[in-house]
Amino acid sequence: MSSIKNQKNDSSQMKQILSPDAGSPEAGSSAPVHNSSPSSPSGESKGADNERSRPLCQPPTRSISREPEQSPSVFGGKNIAVGMEKFRRAPECSMELDSLEFGPKHTVLIDIKAFKTCQTLEPVSGQDMWNTDYVKMPYSEKNIVIESGLEVIKSYNMKYKDEWHFDALHMFFSKMDDGEKKEHFRVIEGMANLAMRLPEICPKPIPLLKTGEDRIITLSHEQIACLLANAFFCTFPHRNSKQSEFKNYPDINFNRMFAERSEQKREKLMTILHYFRTVLDKMPKGLVTFERRHLKDKIDWRSAKLGVTDLHVSAEGTIEKDGAGMLQVDFACAMVGGGVLGSGLVQEEIRFLINPELIVSRLFTEKLQDCDCLRVTGTHQFSKYEGYSNSFKWKGTRPLPENAKRDKWMRLYTEIVLIDAIKFKERQQQFRMDFINRELNKAYCGFCENYIPEDYCTAIATGNWGCGAFNGDPRLKALIQIMAASKAKRQLAYFTFGDQQLAKDIRDMHNFLSKQNISVASVPKPAVGKDKKNQTGRKVKHLLRGRNATLDSDWAHLNRRETPSQVTVQAGESPLLHCALSAHI
């Protein structure tokens, strides 16, 4: 076995490690659980005086550059082409950004002066930081590296040489002809060369986006590609053990993707390597922003005196395609990305695969807490796909148009918000008000834009958030998102992914609330016990139930597991949810 010692890991040593020539290549309790997956550096404070203090959940300050469009009237739910034609989208409804600046809470990894004067994306210099506030980089002189080794990945992770397996990677190459193998080896060689340039491309330390903080990281497409190439070759130190200081962060090294062969892993690898082929052939020129937001003050939903927002519901279409230019919801795990590097292949994992630049968020984003979200602006969808879960298939390239519009920070107009729902072991628990309030605050944290006029806030594109394996009731989750979007004064486009009945039920519920002129907090107080006069509450509950055969039994367990005839309204609940959750038929 090669000896291990502390030494400076410079570019030449990374080349030795990464060169393709060196070798071949989630107990017991019934309580709900949140999902999970199996000293400032030099230059950081530069320009800090120019950073304006940012109110809660407000993005970097913007200035209005044009007359706003008129807000559309309440929409009752038509087809996609007609129904969403007046929904606000970027860039048409966008506000002009302030100049890009460093700040105490905003780390920019490119040279601001060169960006402003020449529109070039040159890396900004920095000083290595090896502590619990920053990403530990492979080239750090404090990293422990291998002097020599034959197998690229195992040589860099000798501790795991008997634990890591590469069945999926072997399967991937075994199903190719010689021409395909040659092309993919060309791509992998290019990835290795890109990974070795990490000290040159990302010399400035990258801060961690920690729990409870508002913080932003802006970096270039090239810097993201370089970081992901290193993740592919599993070079990030202290990221392979759940006992390390990074145990509250997602894994970033790709070792789990290489193990346990399956057709799904093959499709994942096809999608990832296509991304690398695309950026190696022509690197996009632009920036991507990752912003962690924390809702410091929870909302009193009893005082949310706002009308119900405009809504479009359809069983057809997708968030990423038909929600273009909107704030697009990623149904996240608390460990962002979920099982993208393992066996997971549902909504979040698929989004991370087709927009693979999202994967780099796993490098620096600590586990999301109840009032946290992550906003990502500027990623590109590199791949087309079809199917879901076991039927997922990579279906070819989705090229970036030469004239693709970008904002003042050279970011594409793609904005994705990652919000994690509660995973319920017992389905009826989600109807308790404490859990409903948690979901309301989580969704609002993701949707809100404080101090930005309503007409400059894009619509939200979402769907069955927290349903499926998380056991969420889709009608309840739809009502929660309608309330949060109403509070945030944003229109809502809701896609049910083929479920026609669910689309009809949500539309009927929204139409009823709109026609009754019901606001989030000013609806009539519902009946208590068996009072039959509360027709509004009875109607909303009926609409919320839809065809859900188990909802009546869920109602019997609400709060203290009373029977429907015994349920009483708890002080402090939102009247709209009173109406929906406490009325009895």
Side-chain angles (χ1 to χ4, degrees):
M1 181 184 297
S2 302
S3 61
I4 301 175
K5 70 176 184 177
N6 287 316
Q7 62 179 20
K8 184 176 181 180
N9 186 4
D10 58 18
S11 299
S12 62
Q13 292 159 347
M14 291 189 70
K15 183 173 182 178
Q16 181 181 12
I17 293 165
L18 296 175
S19 172
D21 296 334
S24 53
E26 307 164 133
S29 172
S30 63
V33 296
H34 298 291
N35 53 68
S36 59
S37 64
S39 55
S40 177
S42 175
E44 177 68 23
S45 61
K46 183 178 179 180
D49 292 339
N50 295 327
E51 175 75 356
R52 303 181 186 178
S53 58
R54 182 169 57 86
L56 178 65
C57 286
Q58 184 185 356
T61 311
R62 300 171 179 176
S63 58
I64 299 174
S65 61
R66 62 166 186 84
E67 289 298 316
E69 299 174 354
Q70 291 293 323
S71 297
S73 58
V74 173
F75 172 67
K78 303 177 183 178
N79 61 66
I80 292 176
V82 176
M84 292 197 296
E85 60 186 8
K86 291 187 177 181
F87 270 34
R88 295 185 290 273
R89 300 175 187 259
E92 290 78 18
C93 78
S94 300
M95 296 171 63
E96 185 179 351
L97 290 164
D98 285 342
S99 296
L100 183 63
E101 299 287 353
F102 291 107
K105 295 294 184 179
H106 189 179
T107 297
V108 183
L109 298 185
I110 56 107
D111 188 299
I112 295 292
K113 184 176 180 180
F115 177 77
K116 290 180 178 179
T117 57
C118 308
Q119 287 289 287
T120 57
L121 303 176
E122 301 175 6
V124 66
S125 61
Q127 175 184 343
D128 178 38
M129 302 294 289
W130 187 269
N131 59 41
T132 58
D133 293 326
Y134 293 88
V135 172
K136 294 186 174 180
M137 301 295 267
Y139 59 76
S140 173
E141 62 181 14
K142 296 185 179 180
N143 189 18
I144 299 176
V145 299
I146 310 301
E147 282 189 1
S148 62
L150 297 177
E151 294 182 275
V152 177
I153 296 173
K154 284 186 177 180
S155 69
Y156 203 83
N157 297 276
M158 291 297 291
K159 180 179 178 180
Y160 303 98
K161 69 183 184 67
D162 297 323
E163 299 178 27
W164 288 3
H165 303 282
F166 299 87
D167 302 349
L169 200 57
H170 291 312
M171 175 184 175
F172 178 75
F173 284 105
S174 68
K175 294 194 173 185
M176 294 180 183
D177 59 32
D178 289 343
E180 291 175 316
K181 287 181 180 178
K182 183 177 180 181
E183 170 62 14
H184 280 88
F185 283 134
R186 179 191 73 83
V187 173
I188 291 176
E189 180 178 5
M191 292 165 58
N193 291 331
L194 178 62
M196 290 185 292
R197 295 177 58 208
L198 185 62
E200 165 199 343
I201 295 175
C202 296
K204 184 180 179 65
I206 303 173
L208 300 173
L209 301 183
K210 292 188 171 185
T211 296
E213 291 186 354
D214 292 324
R215 194 175 185 101
I216 310 172
I217 301 172
T218 297
L219 63 171
S220 69
H221 293 292
E222 183 180 36
Q223 289 171 326
I224 292 174
C226 183
L227 291 167
L228 289 179
N230 277 273
F232 185 91
F233 291 109
C234 305
T235 67
F236 286 105
H238 295 204
R239 298 306 292 262
N240 302 317
S241 172
K242 293 182 178 180
Q243 304 305 315
S244 75
E245 69 267 38
F246 292 100
K247 62 184 178 181
N248 211 33
Y249 290 77
D251 54 352
I252 183 61
N253 292 326
F254 275 47
N255 53 288
R256 286 199 300 135
M257 184 175 283
F258 301 145
E260 299 178 358
R261 66 171 60 196
S262 67
E263 284 298 322
Q264 292 70 45
K265 287 284 186 71
R266 183 174 181 273
E267 297 297 327
K268 283 188 173 187
L269 286 165
M270 190 77 72
T271 310
I272 291 296
L273 289 173
H274 169 71
Y275 157 72
F276 281 112
R277 179 190 300 112
T278 302
V279 298
L280 289 170
D281 289 346
K282 186 175 183 179
M283 187 67 66
K285 182 181 179 182
L287 299 176
V288 180
T289 292
F290 297 81
E291 180 180 6
R292 185 172 187 135
R293 296 184 176 189
H294 177 69
L295 189 66
K296 294 179 174 63
D297 300 312
K298 296 182 180 180
I299 303 302
D300 180 3
W301 292 96
R302 295 169 296 177
S303 62
K305 298 180 180 180
L306 296 167
V308 180
T309 191
D310 302 340
L311 177 73
H312 168 85
V313 189
S314 178
E316 308 298 327
T318 63
I319 292 172
E320 66 272 10
K321 180 179 179 181
D322 300 278
M326 300 181 184
L327 176 62
Q328 302 174 0
V329 178
D330 174 271
F331 308 159
C333 289
M335 296 286 200
V336 296
V340 63
L341 300 184
S343 57
L345 202 44
V346 290
Q347 196 259 10
E348 180 176 36
E349 289 86 356
I350 292 174
R351 195 65 201 263
F352 271 57
L353 288 169
I354 62 176
N355 291 59
E357 292 166 317
L358 291 170
I359 297 175
V360 80
S361 64
R362 296 170 65 88
L363 178 63
F364 43 71
T365 306
E366 190 173 10
K367 183 179 181 180
L368 299 179
Q369 299 300 317
D370 286 349
C371 292
D372 294 338
C373 74
L374 183 69
R375 286 271 191 104
V376 185
T377 305
T379 66
H380 173 59
Q381 179 183 335
F382 286 86
S383 292
K384 299 176 183 177
Y385 75 100
E386 68 178 17
Y388 189 82
S389 189
N390 291 340
S391 66
F392 173 85
K393 297 289 182 184
W394 178 75
K395 299 300 289 184
T397 186
R398 185 177 179 274
L400 178 64
E402 290 287 342
N403 60 344
K405 293 182 179 181
R406 293 180 179 267
D407 64 20
K408 190 174 180 179
W409 293 7
M410 289 184 67
R411 303 177 303 182
L412 295 168
Y413 286 98
T414 302
E415 188 173 21
I416 302 171
V417 62
L418 285 68
I419 51 174
D420 57 300
I422 299 174
K423 185 174 183 179
F424 292 98
K425 290 187 176 181
E426 292 188 7
R427 191 176 180 281
Q428 65 269 19
Q429 290 182 320
Q430 65 190 291
F431 298 95
R432 283 172 40 183
M433 287 308 307
D434 52 347
F435 294 134
I436 290 172
N437 281 324
R438 186 272 183 192
E439 302 294 71
L440 282 166
N441 285 310
K442 171 66 73 167
Y444 179 71
C445 179
F447 298 170
C448 68
E449 294 285 12
N450 290 351
Y451 304 101
I452 291 182
E454 175 182 354
D455 291 309
Y456 294 96
C457 293
T458 59
I460 299 162
T462 189
N464 302 329
W465 170 55
C467 300
F470 280 36
N471 242 349
D473 179 271
R475 291 159 184 84
L476 177 60
K477 279 297 197 289
L479 180 60
I480 286 171
Q481 292 185 87
I482 290 170
M483 290 183 65
S486 299
K487 172 65 176 173
K489 299 183 179 181
R490 302 182 84 140
Q491 302 153 319
L492 191 69
Y494 196 106
F495 302 97
T496 64
F497 311 111
D499 193 330
Q500 297 283 355
Q501 183 59 45
L502 176 59
K504 180 181 182 302
D505 292 344
I506 295 171
R507 188 180 300 119
D508 288 347
M509 179 169 62
H510 178 267
N511 285 346
F512 173 76
L513 295 174
S514 299
K515 289 176 182 178
Q516 295 297 317
N517 198 27
I518 296 172
S519 70
V520 170
S522 62
V523 296
K525 193 169 183 178
V528 178
K530 295 184 176 181
D531 187 346
K532 299 297 184 180
K533 296 182 180 180
N534 181 25
Q535 297 301 319
T536 301
R538 287 158 50 81
K539 177 66 174 179
V540 175
K541 181 196 169 185
H542 176 74
L543 292 168
L544 183 63
R545 180 175 59 200
R547 292 187 175 182
N548 189 342
T550 65
L551 191 57
D552 279 331
S553 64
D554 292 336
W555 240 263
H557 292 78
L558 180 63
N559 294 314
R560 294 183 297 276
R561 296 181 179 266
E562 296 103 334
T563 62
S565 63
Q566 296 172 324
V567 174
T568 58
V569 176
Q570 290 185 345
E573 296 176 7
S574 164
L576 179 56
L577 285 168
H578 276 320
C579 206
L581 300 175
S582 302
H584 316 304
I585 295 176

